[in-house]
Amino acid sequence: MSVVAGTFADMGNAAAHIVWDWNGTLFHDNDAIIGATNAAFVELGMEPITLERYRALYCVPVPKFYERLMGRLPTDAEWEIMDEVFHRYYAEHRVRCSLTAGAAELLAGWRSAGHSQSLLSMYVHDELVPLVRGFGIEPHFVRVDGRTGPSGGSKAEHMVRHLKALGDVEAERTVVIGDAADDAVAALHVGARAVLYTGGSHGRSSLEEVGVPVVDTLEEAVEVAKEMAA
């Protein structure tokens, strides 16, 4: 776990807090994700899928997503192979990916307005932190947390630990911005709110089923978050 930017004491009395998701939200890595997914499928002799099909069927926990595609849950051995291939391919190809357009400016603007924000990702922590740092956005966050346990789980329990570590953040004044239904589930699990962004792992129709605001840009997401946290 990593505290990366000062304390709440030096941010004034800002009550509104955003918990940002990383993959598919701040980090526009769709090409690397779909490429890694297809690399894992090919390893088991499965046909590759399109980004559109991925966005229509993706869910967590990830083995459930594979069940939707395979017609059954992968065996433990298959899961280990797919997980290893996915992460190896992704690590090689993420270098071609960039921040979502306008993300750096939105982070700077939220911080300069006196609000706080943090980052919670299911991407492995030891790889997440240097990646965030490399984009020069680390100082905008009061905390950056990635996954430290096994892959394939839900974000809800990670959200519990994340908010507990933040300490001074009130769940009622916290808005989670992410690209997946699981981000909204994690937010509701801790009593926070959520805004879902259509540019990542889910299509709009899938996100609208969750029952929280759905937007097409991160700028819209921040505006909605501001209203929700007021």
Side-chain angles (χ1 to χ4, degrees):
M1 304 302 171
S2 176
V3 178
V4 295
T7 66
F8 288 102
D10 57 27
M11 295 190 69
N13 296 317
H17 183 82
I18 290 176
V19 177
W20 290 94
D21 173 57
W22 180 245
N23 302 97
T25 304
L26 290 175
F27 190 41
H28 187 63
D29 59 349
N30 289 350
D31 289 345
I33 290 287
I34 192 66
T37 299
N38 281 330
F41 288 169
V42 168
E43 193 73 18
L44 296 183
M46 297 170 56
E47 292 294 319
I49 64 170
T50 63
L51 177 60
E52 290 71 25
R53 182 164 170 77
Y54 178 95
R55 282 160 52 84
L57 296 178
Y58 180 75
C59 64
V60 294
V62 176
K64 185 69 176 178
F65 167 56
Y66 289 154
E67 181 182 24
R68 290 182 173 184
L69 294 166
M70 300 170 67
R72 61 175 176 81
L73 281 170
T75 65
D76 290 345
E78 288 172 331
W79 166 251
E80 287 183 12
I81 292 170
M82 296 171 85
D83 192 48
E84 189 278 328
V85 171
F86 177 94
H87 285 95
R88 174 160 43 83
Y89 182 100
Y90 180 83
E92 293 172 359
H93 291 267
R94 73 183 187 194
V95 295
R96 300 194 183 101
C97 302
S98 60
L99 293 179
T100 300
E105 293 78 9
L106 288 169
L107 294 173
W110 185 259
R111 183 187 183 200
S112 66
H115 303 301
S116 61
Q117 56 199 329
S118 57
L119 177 59
L120 176 62
S121 174
M122 295 296 282
Y123 191 46
V124 62
H125 182 78
D126 289 344
E127 295 184 32
L128 172 68
V129 172
L131 187 55
V132 172
R133 187 172 294 149
F135 283 112
I137 58 173
E138 187 181 28
H140 297 313
F141 303 111
V142 293
R143 188 173 183 91
V144 172
D145 283 336
R147 175 178 53 79
T148 56
S151 61
S154 174
K155 204 171 194 175
E157 292 307 315
H158 294 273
M159 186 67 72
V160 172
R161 292 192 290 272
H162 183 71
L163 285 192
K164 184 176 180 180
L166 290 172
D168 293 341
V169 170
E170 298 177 6
E172 314 81 65
R173 293 298 186 92
T174 296
V175 180
V176 176
I177 297 179
D179 70 313
D182 194 46
D183 292 304
V185 171
L188 297 174
H189 184 70
V190 297
R193 304 181 190 186
V195 182
L196 297 179
Y197 162 62
T198 62
S201 61
H202 287 40
R204 173 174 278 276
S205 59
S206 298
L207 296 179
E208 287 179 338
E209 295 176 1
V210 183
V212 302
V214 176
V215 299
D216 295 319
T217 68
L218 294 187
E219 184 177 7
E220 292 176 88
V222 171
E223 287 302 315
V224 173
K226 190 184 303 181
E227 295 171 3
M228 295 174 97

